[in-house]
Amino acid sequence: RVRPRSSSTWRSGCTSAYLNFVLGGRWDVVTVHSVVSWPLEVLLPYLGRLTCAKVVVNHGDSTLGLPQFRDHRRQLGLALANVDATVVLSKSLIDRKFYEEFGLADPMVVRNGVDFEQWRTAPLAVRARWNLGAAPWLITVSNHAGVKRHERFFEVIKAVRRAIPSARGTLIGNSHRAETLGLGRFGVRGGCWYKCRLAALRTPGVTLRSAVPRGEVMSAVKEADILLVTSESEASPLVVLESMAAGTPWISLDVGCVRDHTGGVVVASRHEMADAAVRLLQDSAHREKLGAEGTALARSRHDWAHIVTGYEQMYRDLLSSRRPAERGA
C-alpha cells in the first residue's frame, strides 16, 4: 500500500516506492483502475518500460473533458494506444469523442459486481436498533464528498415528509480529512460533513450515521423502503447494485450507467425524486416488484462470480496471444 501525501505531491517523489514496485516486478499483467487517478497518472510516462500485458480499467471518464484535465487527456490517449486492453463498466460510459480522437478501439465491457451470496444472507437488525419501528424509511449511503450532493437528500426528505409526515431519512457515510492547509491532521473533517451536521439539526426526521459497521450498512440497505442516489456524478454506483442485490428499490438521478439497471427509478431532479419516493412509499406492491426485478438482474449479471470470470478470461486471452518472449518464456 502506497499513501501519497496529497495530489499536489504526485510528482515530488513521494510515489517512488510505487513506481519501483511496479517497474521492478516480473509481472504477467499490470492492471490499473480508473483513468483519472494518481496511480495511472504517475505511471503513464513509464508504461513503455513494462514488457508485460497492460490493462487500464475506465470507471467513468466524464472528468476528462474538464479544462484542468486537458494535458492528462492527451497523455492518456497516447498511452492507451499502446496498452493491451482497455475495459469499461458499461457501454454507456464510453466517451466516443475521446476514443475517436486518439484512434482507439472500443474497450471491452466487464461490469461492476456485488457478492450476491453475502447480500442474500445479510442480517436484519438495524431498523429496530435505530428505533425506526415501521416508519417509511429512505436512506442514502455515500461518504461526505461534495459530488454526492447530500443537500438534495435533505430537500427530498423534507418534501416527502410534507406528504407522509411519518417518513424518516438516514444518511450513512463517513467524512474524510480536510486537505486545505493540511487541516486534516488536526482532526478537521473535509467535504460536506459540517454542512450535513447542521442540516440534520434543522431537518426533522433525518439522522446522520457514520462509522457504521459493514454488517449494519447491509442491514440498513435491506430494511429500508427506498435507497436514494443524489450524486451529480457517478460511473457505475456500487450502492445501486447493492440495493438491487438486497431487493430494495432505488431512486437515482440520471448519472453514470444507472439506466442499465432494473429495480429502481431514474429521475431528472430532486423534485422528481421526492414525487417518485412518495408514490413508491404509498405502493408496497410496486416496491416489491421493483425489488424483485433488481434482485434478478443482480443475480444474473452482477454477481462477482460472473465478474471474476470475465477478468480471468481476459487475462488468459491476453497471455495466450503474446509471443513467448513477451511472456518471459
Side-chain angles (χ1 to χ4, degrees):
R1 182 176 293 275
V2 180
R3 298 183 183 275
R5 291 187 294 275
S6 73
S7 60
S8 63
T9 60
W10 288 355
R11 298 181 181 86
S12 67
C14 71
T15 53
S16 59
Y18 164 71
L19 279 175
N20 291 338
F21 175 73
V22 176
L23 299 177
R26 298 185 61 186
W27 318 111
D28 293 308
V29 183
V30 167
T31 300
V32 185
H33 287 264
S34 184
V35 296
V36 184
S37 63
W38 73 263
L40 182 57
E41 180 167 347
V42 170
L43 191 59
L44 281 178
Y46 303 93
L47 284 177
R49 291 171 55 179
L50 290 170
T51 59
C52 62
K54 299 176 283 286
V55 179
V56 173
V57 182
N58 184 350
H59 290 263
D61 54 21
S62 59
T63 55
L64 288 176
L66 299 176
Q68 61 265 40
F69 289 106
R70 185 180 296 111
D71 291 342
H72 180 75
R73 178 187 177 94
R74 181 177 181 277
Q75 191 178 21
L76 176 66
L78 295 174
L80 289 184
N82 297 306
V83 303
D84 296 273
T86 56
V87 178
V88 292
L89 305 178
S90 166
K91 289 184 178 179
S92 65
L93 295 175
I94 297 175
D95 182 344
R96 296 289 179 186
K97 291 183 179 179
F98 172 74
Y99 285 90
E100 292 171 1
E101 179 181 349
F102 295 98
L104 304 174
D106 279 355
M108 68 178 296
V109 175
V110 181
R111 302 182 189 279
N112 212 345
V114 291
D115 185 342
F116 189 83
E117 183 61 22
Q118 184 184 57
W119 280 92
R120 189 184 67 81
T121 58
L124 301 175
V126 299
R127 182 181 273 272
R129 188 179 305 161
W130 293 355
N131 298 315
L132 289 158
W137 187 24
L138 302 99
I139 69 169
T140 189
V141 182
S142 57
N143 291 333
H144 291 271
V147 71
K148 301 302 182 180
R149 299 298 301 271
H150 287 162
E151 74 275 9
R152 294 170 174 168
F153 179 73
F154 291 98
E155 293 302 318
V156 169
I157 299 302
K158 289 178 184 178
V160 169
R161 281 175 58 85
R162 285 194 287 268
I164 307 174
S166 60
R168 303 280 296 276
T170 303
L171 194 167
I172 302 172
N174 298 325
S175 65
H176 54 85
R177 292 169 51 160
E179 294 183 0
T180 304
L181 302 177
L183 293 176
R185 65 178 182 267
F186 301 111
V188 177
R189 302 190 184 195
C192 58
W193 171 259
Y194 295 108
K195 290 182 179 179
C196 287
R197 294 290 294 179
L198 182 59
L201 293 174
R202 295 174 173 175
T203 309
V206 175
T207 303
L208 264 58
R209 295 275 179 178
S210 62
V212 179
R214 174 64 175 167
E216 291 190 7
V217 174
M218 296 176 70
S219 177
V221 173
K222 288 189 71 171
E223 293 184 87
D225 293 295
I226 302 171
L227 179 136
L228 304 179
V229 179
T230 59
S231 302
E232 68 180 16
S233 178
E234 293 281 354
S236 176
L238 184 59
V239 69
V240 170
L241 298 181
E242 293 185 332
S243 185
M244 292 162 58
T248 300
W250 50 269
I251 305 174
S252 175
L253 292 171
D254 194 359
V255 291
C257 64
V258 292
R259 288 191 178 275
D260 291 356
H261 305 317
T262 59
V265 180
V266 179
V267 296
S269 69
R270 68 176 186 272
H271 303 294
E272 289 187 15
M273 181 174 286
D275 291 342
V278 170
R279 289 195 299 271
L280 281 180
L281 289 175
Q282 294 173 336
D283 190 344
S284 60
H286 193 193
R287 294 201 309 274
E288 185 175 344
K289 177 177 180 293
L290 287 175
E293 291 173 351
T295 298
L297 185 63
R299 180 187 293 113
S300 65
R301 195 170 72 179
H302 296 284
D303 192 318
W304 265 115
H306 304 308
I307 309 305
V308 169
T309 299
Y311 275 105
E312 181 179 9
Q313 188 59 53
M314 176 183 66
Y315 293 146
R316 290 185 181 278
D317 291 344
L318 285 176
L319 294 179
S320 65
S321 66
R322 293 170 68 82
R323 296 189 301 271
E326 293 176 315
R327 298 197 300 267

